[in-house]
Amino acid sequence: MIIKDLSLINYKNFDSINLEFDDKINCLVGQNGIGKTNILDSIYHLAFGKSYFNPVTSQNINHDADFFVIEGDFFNGEKNEKIITSFKKGQKKIIKRNGKIYDKISDHIGTIPLVIISPTDRDLILEGSETRRKFMDGVISQGDKIYLNELLKYNKVLSQRNALLKYFAANRTFDQTSLDVYDDQIVGIGQNIFEKRQNFIEKFLPILQARYSEISHSREEISLTYKSQFKEKTGFSEILKSGLKTDLQRQYSNFGTHKDDLIFKIKKHSVKKFGSQGQQKSYLVALKFAQYDFLKSQHGMKPILLLDDIFDKLDEDRVKQIVQMVSKSDLGQMFISDTHPERTEEVVKQNANQYKMINLEA
């Protein structure tokens, strides 16, 4: 998959801009605050129907405007795809594919396979389980619409169950029959989600281990473990019932696949607690390139790769390794953002024959 050109109107700091891209490597350069990351985010927005950095849609509109439009022309190896995402204050967001409006934005997920590597990805290691679940769900959902729909159903039921728990507390009442309606769905849908997540990890782990070895030049043993309450020996229905007292006290559902987590380890030790900065960075880059490989195998096409501000977050050797990997025939189109044009071009020129420099200050 490649994006050939991009047009923005009132998106973040841009009033209007039109850009054409190279099929292989595109380097977005310029001072901080000029909009390099916003260009990358607009491409992400076309793929997922939302911003990677700010999920509040209205906050992605340029100041003094009341709407934005993002338009991109893609080529998937067989045909052209025109994707338009637009939003006006007070109205629903619209995504069009080749002129046809989607009924549900979720139907668009997976059309544009894409991977982004950003400084904010450190949250995958440092923050709580929700961040890691979102990563896992995002990878699976790009290639499995049934899974995405199950996930949306589960979250809706979970929200309804939590609302019922709050109702019980506010009115000092309790109705087991009403609760059972939601519990049955939590267990049924949750079982399907658990099985697909477990199957994903089994396929994903060897890809991750291979990428880590390539990026770090290391023989360190790494692991990725899926942690879920569904792995408990007792049935999940029993776990749900045994936790009812806690749920009623906290007015929140404390048991289910919404509590799942991923455990990252190097040499059998937590990457978060014991990994050096270099090891954490290598693990994160390996995680994203493994995501790339997995999506490529699922879609049968090369995803777009967005690298945001990596020169300031990774040492130059790691950046060179990344560019070398992307320059190989098994990887497709890549975007790099950086504040130093000379540094970027020097590294890219050493490792790639085909690239385009885009200076946003010009």
Side-chain angles (χ1 to χ4, degrees), residues 168-197:
F168 289 159
N171 294 276
R172 297 184 180 181
T173 185
F174 177 74
D175 181 359
Q176 184 65 57
T177 303
S178 298
L179 196 65
D180 285 344
V181 172
Y182 297 120
D183 285 2
D184 289 345
Q185 294 180 76
I186 290 282
V187 173
I189 303 171
Q191 181 69 40
N192 295 335
I193 292 172
F194 164 74
E195 290 173 358
K196 290 206 172 185
R197 284 177 176 173

Side-chain angles (χ1 to χ4, degrees), residues 18-30:
N18 296 284
L19 297 169
E20 293 183 359
F21 301 124
D22 185 82
D23 290 354
K24 204 67 178 174
I25 297 178
N26 297 273
C27 305
L28 299 165
V29 295

Side-chain angles (χ1 to χ4, degrees), residues 1 113-115 291-292 295-296 301-305 332-333:
M1 177 66 73
L114 180 146
V115 174
Q291 176 187 2
Y292 185 102
L295 291 176
K296 181 186 170 188
M301 70 175 78
K302 301 167 185 175
I304 295 170
L305 181 62
Q333 190 182 35

Side-chain angles (χ1 to χ4, degrees), residues 30 86 90 177 191 222 226 254 265 279 282 314 331 346 358:
S86 61
T177 303
Q191 181 69 40
I222 68 164
Y226 174 38
N254 293 276
K265 289 187 177 181
Q279 287 174 322
S282 292
L314 298 176
L331 292 176
E346 181 64 27
I358 302 173

Side-chain angles (χ1 to χ4, degrees), residues 131-316:
T131 307
R132 290 179 286 277
R133 279 195 307 277
K134 282 183 177 179
F135 168 77
M136 174 168 54
D137 290 338
V139 181
I140 301 171
S141 295
Q142 282 198 67
D144 189 339
K145 290 194 180 296
I146 295 175
Y147 178 84
L148 177 57
N149 288 329
E150 291 272 77
L151 204 59
L152 293 172
K153 284 181 194 173
Y154 182 92
N155 290 333
K156 183 177 180 180
V157 173
L158 179 65
S159 178
Q160 291 170 333
R161 187 180 192 271
N162 289 338
L164 184 62
L165 292 171
K166 288 180 172 62
Y167 175 83
F168 289 159
N171 294 276
R172 297 184 180 181
T173 185
F174 177 74
D175 181 359
Q176 184 65 57
T177 303
S178 298
L179 196 65
D180 285 344
V181 172
Y182 297 120
D183 285 2
D184 289 345
Q185 294 180 76
I186 290 282
V187 173
I189 303 171
Q191 181 69 40
N192 295 335
I193 292 172
F194 164 74
E195 290 173 358
K196 290 206 172 185
R197 284 177 176 173
Q198 189 161 247
N199 182 257
F200 162 70
I201 294 298
E202 289 173 2
K203 294 177 180 177
F204 190 76
L205 178 57
I207 302 172
L208 172 64
Q209 290 171 327
R211 279 301 188 184
Y212 183 85
S213 178
E214 181 180 9
I215 291 166
S216 65
H217 297 305
S218 172
R219 296 180 180 176
E220 296 170 334
E221 180 185 347
I222 68 164
S223 65
L224 172 64
T225 306
Y226 174 38
K227 180 182 177 183
S228 176
Q229 294 164 345
F230 266 96
K231 289 186 175 182
E232 300 289 337
K233 292 181 179 179
T234 54
F236 188 67
S237 295
E238 285 69 30
I239 294 174
L240 208 58
K241 289 174 182 176
S242 65
L244 179 57
K245 184 178 180 180
T246 303
D247 289 351
L248 290 170
Q249 288 174 341
R250 298 181 182 178
Q251 302 171 43
Y252 176 80
S253 303
N254 293 276
F255 302 89
T257 50
H258 60 286
K259 307 298 280 187
D260 289 356
D261 200 357
L262 296 176
I263 310 300
F264 303 149
K265 289 187 177 181
I266 297 179
K267 293 182 178 179
K268 299 182 180 180
H269 299 292
S270 165
V271 175
K272 177 179 179 179
K273 292 182 180 179
F274 302 104
S276 66
Q277 281 196 354
Q279 287 174 322
Q280 289 183 357
K281 289 174 181 177
S282 292
Y283 198 104
L284 281 172
V285 174
L287 201 65
K288 289 306 187 90
F289 269 89
Q291 176 187 2
Y292 185 102
D293 295 336
F294 183 84
L295 291 176
K296 181 186 170 188
S297 68
Q298 293 288 300
H299 288 266
M301 70 175 78
K302 301 167 185 175
I304 295 170
L305 181 62
L306 309 178
L307 305 178
D308 180 38
D309 200 21
I310 59 168
F311 281 93
D312 287 342
K313 305 303 175 185
L314 298 176
D315 58 75
E316 196 165 302

